[in-house]
């Protein structure tokens, strides 16, 4: 790895490490973009997505084609998984650097230095050997999760095709970079369970459900449950001000953000944004919070190199390994 590649990555981590404070709140528009009748409306949708991504770095999709009943069923399946006994889930552990399997309070953000108050289960299809619960333990879970993951890939590639054209790439550039059937595919569906706050307790200062961070990937699709709030976002270009915006959850809406991989690929034209999950306030719902994230991240052997070559080329595998290890204490 050359020095320029390493310095680019370390700069990203140094910025994240400065984001651990409480900061302040600021109202911002969270744009909702209707992506129905996608092909017929492609030019209009492309301009709306590009504007939101360039100016803010996050946006929400409505009428996105993944039926809300299917989303709710995936949340029910996720809750079934996390309700398994600890010793059962522990049979399917996430090995360091693989981004596949179950982790429990293992993610330590550079911004906080403390473990996120959650557990998660990562589904990265080519790496799932011996990591699926059995049919006896969780009937129908594997098939349902794979179906949902493919739906997410299809939607993410639609969005990325708009960015590809604006960047001067072929329309299918990112679909080829994230080829679904390739053996080095590394996009991930992540099920998340943030723990309920025990009655009468508050989490100590500096401990977060999810510490401030940017995502490592190209594009994130985040599904949230109505009534289970806490997500706060911050445009990357305004990071130093640390003024956060609350994002209201809704079952039928997908919240999206640009990740570090796409920011690099776009020669920084598309900024990744910071986000975090705060702890509930005393007057709010104190129960468990569930979310589902799909991380579209280019296949391992794909080289990330922007049209203007602002950053040193790096494979997506190298890039992702550096960022994952930084968040699990081994960088």
């Amino acid at each position: 790895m050359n020095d320029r590649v390493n310095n680019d990555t370390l700069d990203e981590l140094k910025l994240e490490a400065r984001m651990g404070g409480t900061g302040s709140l600021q109202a911002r528009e969270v744009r909702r973009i209707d992506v129905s009748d996608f092909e017929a409306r492609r030019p209009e949708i492309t301009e709306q997505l590009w504007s939101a991504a360039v100016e803010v770095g996050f946006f929400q999709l409505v009428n996105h084609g993944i039926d809300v009943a299917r989303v709710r069923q995936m949340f029910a399946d996720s809750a079934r998984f996390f309700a398994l006994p600890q010793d059962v889930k522990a049979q399917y552990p996430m090995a360091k650097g693989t981004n596949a399997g179950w982790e429990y309070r293992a993610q330590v953000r550079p911004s906080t230095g403390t473990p996120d108050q959650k557990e998660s289960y990562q589904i990265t299809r080519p790496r799932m050997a011996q990591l699926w619960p059995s049919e006896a333990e969780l009937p129908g879970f594997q098939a349902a999760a794979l179906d949902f993951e493919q739906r997410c890939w299809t939607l993410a590639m639609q969005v990325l095709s708009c960015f590809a054209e604006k960047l001067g790439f072929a329309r299918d550039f990112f679909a080829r970079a994230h080829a679904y059937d390739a053996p080095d595919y590394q996009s991930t569906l992540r099920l998340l369970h943030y723990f309920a706050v025990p009655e009468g307790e508050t989490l100590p200062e500096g401990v977060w459900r999810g510490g401030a961070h940017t995502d490592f990937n190209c594009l994130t699709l985040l599904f949230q449950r109505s009534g289970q709030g806490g997500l706060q976002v911050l445009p990357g270009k305004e990071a130093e001000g640390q003024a956060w915006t609350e994002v209201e959850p809704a079952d039928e809406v997908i919240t999206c953000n640009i990740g570090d991989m796409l920011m690099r690929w776009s020669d920084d034209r598309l900024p990744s944004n910071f986000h975090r999950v705060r702890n509930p306030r005393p007057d709010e719902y104190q129960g468990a919070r569930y979310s589902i994230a799909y991380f579209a991240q280019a296949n391992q052997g794909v080289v990330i190199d922007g049209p203007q070559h602002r950053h040193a080329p790096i494979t997506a595998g190298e890039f992702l390994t550096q960022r994952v290890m930084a968040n699990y204490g081994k960088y």
Side-chain angles (χ1 to χ4, degrees):
M1 184 189 307
N2 65 45
D3 289 342
R4 185 178 163 201
V5 169
N6 198 41
N7 288 339
D8 285 338
T9 305
L10 289 176
D11 286 345
E12 292 161 355
L13 293 173
K14 287 175 182 176
L15 178 58
E16 187 168 313
R18 297 200 299 269
M19 303 303 295
T22 302
S24 59
L25 293 179
Q26 177 179 329
R28 293 184 180 91
E29 176 191 15
V30 179
R31 299 183 194 177
R32 290 195 169 186
I33 300 174
D34 182 346
V35 293
S36 61
D37 201 11
F38 181 82
E39 288 302 332
R41 297 178 51 240
R42 176 183 281 274
E44 170 195 355
I45 293 170
T46 295
E47 292 306 316
Q48 291 178 0
L49 289 170
W50 182 260
S51 175
V54 169
E55 295 172 20
V56 184
F58 57 86
F59 47 88
Q60 293 182 317
L61 302 179
V62 296
N63 299 321
H64 45 71
I66 302 178
D67 186 76
V68 68
R70 185 67 192 84
V71 174
R72 289 169 178 158
Q73 182 58 53
M74 194 65 240
F75 271 113
D77 289 334
S78 174
R80 284 199 299 140
F81 173 84
F82 290 119
L84 291 171
Q86 294 284 89
D87 61 343
V88 173
K89 290 181 287 188
Q91 297 176 91
Y92 312 110
M94 186 178 78
K96 297 296 184 183
T98 66
N99 217 25
W102 175 70
E103 62 84 17
Y104 180 85
R105 285 193 169 106
Q107 191 157 21
V108 180
R109 306 287 186 183
S111 61
T112 62
T114 57
D116 284 354
Q117 298 303 294
K118 68 173 182 353
E119 60 180 325
S120 66
Y121 180 68
Q122 283 69 224
I123 298 167
T124 304
R125 286 186 298 103
R127 305 174 185 172
M128 295 301 292
Q130 310 303 316
L131 292 177
W132 290 106
S134 69
E135 281 295 303
E137 291 164 339
L138 216 57
F141 175 78
Q142 179 177 342
L146 290 174
D147 171 79
F148 192 81
E149 192 263 356
Q150 186 167 36
R151 292 170 190 253
C152 290
W153 180 88
T154 299
L155 178 59
M157 293 309 109
Q158 283 187 321
V159 173
L160 287 172
S161 74
C162 296
F163 294 142
E165 290 190 298
K166 293 293 287 186
L167 290 168
F169 296 129
R171 180 178 291 183
D172 67 347
F173 177 84
F174 287 117
R176 287 185 282 114
H178 296 74
Y180 194 75
D181 294 326
D184 63 344
Y185 177 86
Q186 60 176 359
S187 294
T188 298
L189 182 69
R190 188 180 199 192
L191 312 180
L192 297 115
H193 169 217
Y194 299 91
F195 306 124
V197 178
E199 186 174 356
E201 294 186 18
T202 57
L203 293 177
E205 185 176 352
V207 174
W208 293 77
R209 278 183 157 176
H213 63 283
T214 58
D215 287 340
F216 321 145
N217 55 325
C218 281
L219 179 72
T220 300
L221 309 180
L222 179 69
F223 301 82
Q224 300 185 90
R225 303 233 63 181
S226 299
Q228 297 180 10
L231 177 66
Q232 297 179 325
V233 295
L234 171 61
K237 63 184 179 181
E238 301 175 32
E240 296 296 349
Q242 298 202 34
W244 298 83
T245 296
E246 300 268 0
V247 178
E248 189 69 23
D251 289 12
E252 69 277 9
V253 172
I254 301 175
T255 300
C256 301
N257 62 270
I258 305 301
D260 299 334
M261 189 178 284
L262 185 56
M263 183 170 74
R264 189 186 191 106
W265 226 329
S266 69
D267 297 312
D268 299 334
R269 295 174 70 187
L270 298 172
S272 59
N273 81 294
F274 283 93
H275 46 284
R276 65 189 185 185
V277 180
R278 64 169 175 79
N279 304 323
R281 303 183 186 101
D283 61 337
E284 293 179 318
Y285 166 73
Q286 303 287 302
R289 179 183 188 272
Y290 295 88
S291 65
I292 300 170
Y294 177 75
F295 301 112
Q297 41 212 22
N299 296 352
Q300 282 181 287
V302 172
V303 176
I304 302 167
D305 190 16
Q308 299 172 10
H309 314 293
R310 179 170 180 175
H311 298 282
I314 184 174
T315 67
E318 292 172 318
F319 181 83
L320 188 62
T321 296
Q322 291 175 18
R323 300 310 305 273
V324 168
M325 298 306 273
N327 277 261
Y328 289 92
K330 294 291 185 181
Y331 185 77

